[in-house]
């Protein structure tokens, strides 16, 4: 038995060792991904459920790795946050998304663009100026940019986060609380935070109408949004039943595979045209 235990232990160490090497390699590859043009953005339409219009798009990052293929953002964003490279990557995302928004505006389709902002980015001292500079460079009105932040962004330094979000708000940028209800939600934060939108995480939408708890949670977030005068966006809407329920329940905005998966810019433009012709 002892022998077995020993072997087991060695196997265990070897696999951790492998994991560390994998992660180091991933970090190294990621540090070159920007320069090697392996990153790009896809855009998922956000739909107004009342008017049935596409009101904007969420920009989502994609990494096409030369040998691994598509690496999901849930795998590499945490790595980029841990080593700080999210600051540079996030600035690239913002730049790229604003460039795209300017293109769409000049083509006669002025859409709001939602960009995910990491808690690590929000902690940067120059972040507000960097964002405002980016808007100016691309001549994008601030009202056309929405920043999606998670509740963890508020946790490390609440007053610093509040001050920065206030500055962004005063400039005309709107703020959405992403993954609402999955983190350390606190109604105190919501009261203090200059936010305009709540995003219901897809984990509560997935089993909407099937799972009673999830349905109640979604209802509660919609009601909370109403009473605090925040618009509510449902994420991960995949079925007509979910769409119907949410729109009846008073949720104004939705995104999800039911409408469209995230798309490259050209396909996104085609989608918008087709959707509005329906
Ligand atoms: P998120 O911000 O909560 O984004 C929503 C995720 O749900 C996206 O996954 C999207 O593709 C996916 N999704 C949308 N509709 C549906 C649906 O109907 N069904 C299902 N099952 N999924 C749907 P994605 O693109 O893999 O991104 C994962 C996460 O990575 C994002 O979650 C966000 O936290 C992070 N991320 C992506 N791009 C960026 C970025 O540019 N910056 C930062 N900081 N984080 C990003
Ligand atoms: Ca998001
Ligand atoms: Ca989410
Ligand atoms: Ca997320």
């Amino acid at each position: 038995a002892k022998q077995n235990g020993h072997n087991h232990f060695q196997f265990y160490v070897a696999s951790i060792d492998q994991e560390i090497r994998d992660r180091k390699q991933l970090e190294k590859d990621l540090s070159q991904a920007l320069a090697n043009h392996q990153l790009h953005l896809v855009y998922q339409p956000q739909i107004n459920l009342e008017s049935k219009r596409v009101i904007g798009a969420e920009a989502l990052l994609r990494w096409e790795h030369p040998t691994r293929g598509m690496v999901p953002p849930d795998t590499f964003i945490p790595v980029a946050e841990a080593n700080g490279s999210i600051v540079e990557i996030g600035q690239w995302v913002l730049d790229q998304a604003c460039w795209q928004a300017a293109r769409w505006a000049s083509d006669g389709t002025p859409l709001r663009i939602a960009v995910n902002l990491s808690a690590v980015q929000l902690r940067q001292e120059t972040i507000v100026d960097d964002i405002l500079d980016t808007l100016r460079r691309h001549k994008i009105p601030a009202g056309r940019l929405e920043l999606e932040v998670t509740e963890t962004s508020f946790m490390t330094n609440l007053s610093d986060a509040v001050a920065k979000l206030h500055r962004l708000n005063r400039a005309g940028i709107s703020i959405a609380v992403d993954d609402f209800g999955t983190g350390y939600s606190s109604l105190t934060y919501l009261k203090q935070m200059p936010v305009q939108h709540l995003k219901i995480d897809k984990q509560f939408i997935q089993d909407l109408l099937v799972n009673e708890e999830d349905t109640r949670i979604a209802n509660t977030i919609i009601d909370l949004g109403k009473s605090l005068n925040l618009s509510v966006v449902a994420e991960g809407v995949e079925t007509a039943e979910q769409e119907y329920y949410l729109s009846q329940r008073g949720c104004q905005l939705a995104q999800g595979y039911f409408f469209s998966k995230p798309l490259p810019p050209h396909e996104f433009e085609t989608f918008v045209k087709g959707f509005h012709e329906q």
Side-chain angles (χ1 to χ4, degrees):
K2 204 171 184 188
Q3 186 64 37
N4 265 347
H6 185 69
N7 283 342
H8 183 77
F9 180 70
Q10 274 194 333
F11 175 73
Y12 183 66
V13 168
S15 75
I16 286 190
D17 197 47
Q18 184 61 45
E19 247 174 62
I20 292 171
R21 261 183 289 147
D22 281 353
R23 182 162 169 124
K24 285 245 152 71
Q25 187 62 48
L26 192 77
E27 245 178 281
K28 189 163 164 282
D29 293 350
L30 187 57
S31 70
Q32 293 155 14
L34 254 183
N36 292 340
H37 307 287
Q38 292 161 7
L39 300 182
H40 69 273
L41 295 183
V42 285
Y43 297 87
Q44 187 172 40
Q46 298 185 322
I47 314 290
N48 182 316
L49 294 177
E50 242 173 84
S51 65
K52 306 280 181 214
R53 303 283 297 180
V54 178
I55 57 104
E58 178 179 13
L60 292 155
L61 189 56
R62 295 291 176 264
W63 179 14
E64 186 69 61
H65 188 282
T67 55
R68 289 171 184 242
M70 199 65 84
V71 185
D74 283 330
T75 305
F76 71 84
I77 299 269
V79 174
E81 287 180 326
N83 73 10
S85 61
I86 190 66
V87 172
E88 192 191 354
I89 292 172
Q91 178 54 48
W92 180 85
V93 168
L94 191 68
D95 219 48
Q96 189 68 26
C98 287
W99 178 85
Q100 188 60 66
R103 285 285 305 269
W104 284 332
S106 72
D107 292 347
T109 320
L111 291 168
R112 192 181 72 192
I113 199 104
V115 173
N116 293 284
L117 189 75
S118 158
V120 177
Q121 287 176 274
L122 190 62
R123 279 205 294 273
Q124 301 302 303
E125 211 175 315
T126 60
I127 188 66
V128 175
D129 294 319
D130 294 344
I131 293 168
L132 298 179
D133 275 351
T134 309
L135 288 174
R136 246 176 260 129
R137 258 188 293 114
H138 295 279
K139 303 189 171 65
I140 305 283
R144 212 164 286 156
L145 178 67
E146 180 172 314
L147 295 170
E148 299 193 357
V149 300
T150 56
E151 288 149 308
T152 43
S153 300
F154 311 149
M155 301 211 1
T156 29
N157 189 340
L158 183 62
S159 61
D160 181 61
V162 173
K164 284 168 175 166
L165 295 183
H166 261 303
R167 271 193 68 198
L168 291 165
N169 251 200
R170 274 199 306 272
I173 297 167
S174 61
I175 310 292
V177 185
D178 210 355
D179 301 340
F180 186 74
T182 67
Y184 297 88
S185 309
S186 156
L187 300 181
T188 317
Y189 289 156
L190 262 194
K191 215 182 100 185
Q192 295 182 47
M193 281 293 147
V195 301
Q196 288 73 44
H197 314 276
L198 298 180
K199 286 193 88 170
I200 311 177
D201 191 69
K202 61 176 182 287
Q203 83 173 68
F204 303 120
I205 304 298
Q206 223 98 65
D207 291 327
L208 191 72
L209 305 173
V210 177
N211 180 302
E212 205 176 309
E213 273 87 47
D214 288 343
T215 311
R216 288 212 193 112
I217 290 171
N219 288 343
T220 303
I221 298 176
I222 293 168
D223 292 340
L224 184 66
K226 275 192 195 133
S227 59
L228 294 178
N229 205 17
L230 306 170
S231 79
V232 176
V233 189
E235 165 191 280
V237 176
E238 294 188 357
T239 70
E241 289 75 21
Q242 292 165 351
E243 190 250 14
Y244 183 74
Y245 180 80
L246 289 163
S247 80
Q248 292 303 301
R249 197 63 184 60
C251 175
Q252 303 99 319
L253 303 172
Q255 64 185 99
Y257 298 165
F258 176 65
F259 305 104
S260 169
K261 58 180 208 240
L263 300 169
H266 186 69
E267 288 174 45
F268 180 87
E269 290 154 29
T270 310
F271 171 85
V272 175
K273 285 200 191 86
F275 192 81
H276 289 163
E277 272 160 19
Q278 270 173 29

